[in-house]
Amino acid sequence: MTAVSDTASVVDPERFGTVFDAYYEEIRRYIGRRLDLGVAEDLAAETFLIAFRRRGRFDPARGAVRPWLYGIATNLIGRHRRAELRRYRALARTGPPPDDDGHDQRVVDRVSAGMTVGRLSGALAGLSQGERDVVLLVAYGGLTYEEIAEALGVAYGTVASRLSRARTKLHKSLGAEVW
């Protein structure tokens, strides 16, 4: 991961490519984990389009570039919240989608994953929007509490309490063997 802290790279349209190059793939992966991979490319591109358009309002005193981009991406994901919930609920009922490869090892992997994907998807669907955002920013984005607070525009304590509540709910839903 390349850190881009140079404000000029964000606000100067000629240098904004540095921000894109440093974070595009990371943001695309985060969105792909939260939503569908087919949507990830579009939403990642939209994240950077919004960031480019709002580059003049970027305030380095409020935080770094990375959490700012995660915040934009998370807000875009929020627009797809109903589809995300439907996806988690469907996975909870049906298990993981079929694997097109069909190789022996992939079958073994699918069987193993099938045992947990449904339970995990159902558990994630049972979290509130704020709890799910915090859990997935930690799990998929690898963000710190401070970065999550910046990304979501909430207090550090809010991040900690949402994560604590989410852990309790996930523990009850998934059982002690997961932890």
Side-chain angles (χ1 to χ4, degrees):
M1 172 182 56
T2 306
V4 175
S5 59
D6 181 10
T7 303
S9 295
V10 175
V11 297
D12 181 358
E14 298 297 321
R15 294 177 61 193
F16 192 83
T18 304
V19 174
F20 182 88
D21 292 341
Y23 297 110
Y24 175 80
E25 191 58 35
E26 180 178 345
I27 295 296
R28 186 197 58 78
R29 279 192 313 268
Y30 168 69
I31 294 169
R33 289 173 174 159
R34 291 286 308 266
L35 299 172
D36 183 70
L37 288 175
V39 174
E41 290 287 335
D42 292 338
L43 287 184
E46 190 173 349
T47 296
F48 284 90
L49 178 62
I50 290 168
F52 183 79
R53 288 180 178 160
R54 294 182 184 169
R55 69 189 182 281
R57 293 187 276 172
F58 174 74
D59 182 5
R62 290 191 57 215
V65 174
R66 183 174 180 251
W68 178 60
L69 292 170
Y70 271 100
I72 294 169
T74 299
N75 286 335
L76 288 173
I77 289 167
R79 292 181 188 171
H80 296 272
R81 185 74 54 207
R82 287 189 294 254
E84 180 183 42
L85 280 174
R86 284 193 302 268
R87 180 173 177 247
Y88 284 140
R89 288 180 180 141
L91 282 172
R93 286 189 308 273
T94 63
D99 186 2
D100 293 336
D101 292 338
H103 299 309
D104 292 344
Q105 184 58 46
R106 302 288 298 192
V107 170
V108 170
D109 291 345
R110 245 188 98 230
V111 169
S112 297
M115 293 178 189
T116 57
V117 167
R119 289 179 57 219
L120 180 57
S121 296
L124 287 171
L127 298 177
S128 72
Q129 172 183 334
E131 293 164 347
R132 191 170 40 260
D133 284 342
V134 169
V135 166
L136 295 176
L137 281 167
V138 168
Y140 292 159
L143 272 65
T144 65
Y145 284 26
E146 293 87 2
E147 290 174 323
I148 294 169
E150 289 175 33
L152 298 179
V154 299
Y156 178 94
T158 302
V159 172
S161 64
R162 285 180 183 175
L163 191 55
S164 176
R165 283 193 307 272
R167 284 180 175 150
T168 300
K169 289 178 181 179
L170 291 171
H171 181 74
K172 286 180 183 176
S173 180
L174 298 173
E177 71 277 2
V178 175
W179 307 99

